[in-house]
Amino acid sequence: MVAKKVLISSIFLILIVGVVIGLVAVFVHNNAKKSGQESLSEQMKLVIQMCNYTDHHTECQQSLSPVAQNSSAGVKDYMKAALLSISDQAQNSLNMTESLLVEAKDGTRIKRSIEECNDLMKEARDELQALVSYVNDVELETMNDRALELRIWIGSVNSYAGTCMDVIGDDDRKVSEAMKGPIYDTTAITDNALAIMGFLTSLACLASS
């Protein structure tokens, strides 16, 4: 009988200890999670907020997170980062066309198509570089007044990229497949930038009102 009581007491004690351990584990986990959230800088919280407005969150955070390392970064810094990320992708598309041109035979339709695509992506890159310079030099208030124009200007990159793929077509599967990846990345980053610029211009308007 005594042995039975000891056994029951031991089982009860084990259960109590298990519950306590479980509660401690939950408490530690929740505190760690809360601490992680609190440790996020205000800049990083802004990046997460901006990227929630985009369709490609990972790419967005990759392009904006370096700016968040600067605690004094402002609206224009994020705008430039978004534009430079498109410029980098446009350059990747341009590099691909130049690589394909080396392999294409002279006088063929596909070479003429790649050349046209190459010209389009050069135009996109040059316009983006001009836009970065504009954002760097102009006052925020001026950009707010020209927000729609800026978005149209950025959106033109998607037109260049789409026309590039239309020109190449599907006649040469190798060339078509080689261009799809860089062009998709360019349009994805451009879509992100449009969402980011919309968010930031709205933020700047609120700040200046």
Side-chain angles (χ1 to χ4, degrees), residues 19-196:
V19 170
V20 170
I21 292 172
L23 289 173
V24 169
V26 170
F27 178 77
V28 170
H29 173 75
N30 288 340
N31 275 358
K33 184 177 180 181
K34 183 178 178 181
S35 175
Q37 290 173 340
E38 290 176 350
S39 67
L40 285 175
S41 68
E42 291 302 316
Q43 294 285 8
M44 198 60 214
K45 288 176 184 177
L46 178 61
V47 167
I48 293 171
Q49 188 178 5
M50 277 188 285
C51 291
N52 283 339
Y53 283 85
T54 68
D55 292 329
H56 309 277
H57 296 178
T58 301
E59 292 83 351
C60 176
Q61 291 197 25
Q62 286 174 346
S63 62
L64 299 185
S65 291
V67 184
Q69 304 305 312
N70 177 8
S71 59
S72 61
V75 170
K76 287 174 65 172
D77 295 303
Y78 287 104
M79 286 183 174
K80 286 189 289 183
L83 294 172
L84 287 170
S85 66
I86 315 175
S87 184
D88 289 343
Q89 291 299 334
Q91 184 63 54
N92 288 341
S93 296
L94 180 58
N95 292 344
M96 180 58 74
T97 61
E98 291 175 348
S99 176
L100 292 169
L101 278 174
V102 173
E103 301 175 9
K105 293 180 180 179
D106 293 335
T108 58
R109 187 205 70 81
I110 193 61
K111 182 154 190 175
R112 290 191 296 272
S113 297
I114 298 170
E115 287 172 342
E116 187 173 345
C117 184
N118 181 268
D119 290 339
L120 287 164
M121 298 319 297
K122 280 181 181 177
E123 189 72 21
R125 180 201 58 190
D126 293 346
E127 287 193 14
L128 285 164
Q129 290 175 347
L131 188 51
V132 170
S133 297
Y134 170 79
V135 169
N136 191 54
D137 296 336
V138 77
E139 295 296 326
L140 270 177
E141 291 76 11
T142 304
M143 279 192 288
N144 293 341
D145 294 337
R146 300 181 64 184
L148 178 59
E149 183 182 346
L150 287 172
R151 295 188 70 181
I152 292 172
W153 197 351
I154 296 169
S156 66
V157 175
N158 277 349
S159 297
Y160 288 126
T163 303
C164 170
M165 289 305 298
D166 290 341
V167 166
I168 288 177
D170 293 322
D171 292 344
D172 190 309
R173 297 292 297 175
K174 180 182 176 182
V175 172
S176 177
E177 289 299 319
M179 286 303 303
K180 278 182 181 178
I183 291 295
Y184 172 81
D185 290 341
T186 300
T187 56
I189 294 298
T190 302
D191 288 341
N192 273 2
L194 284 168
I196 292 165

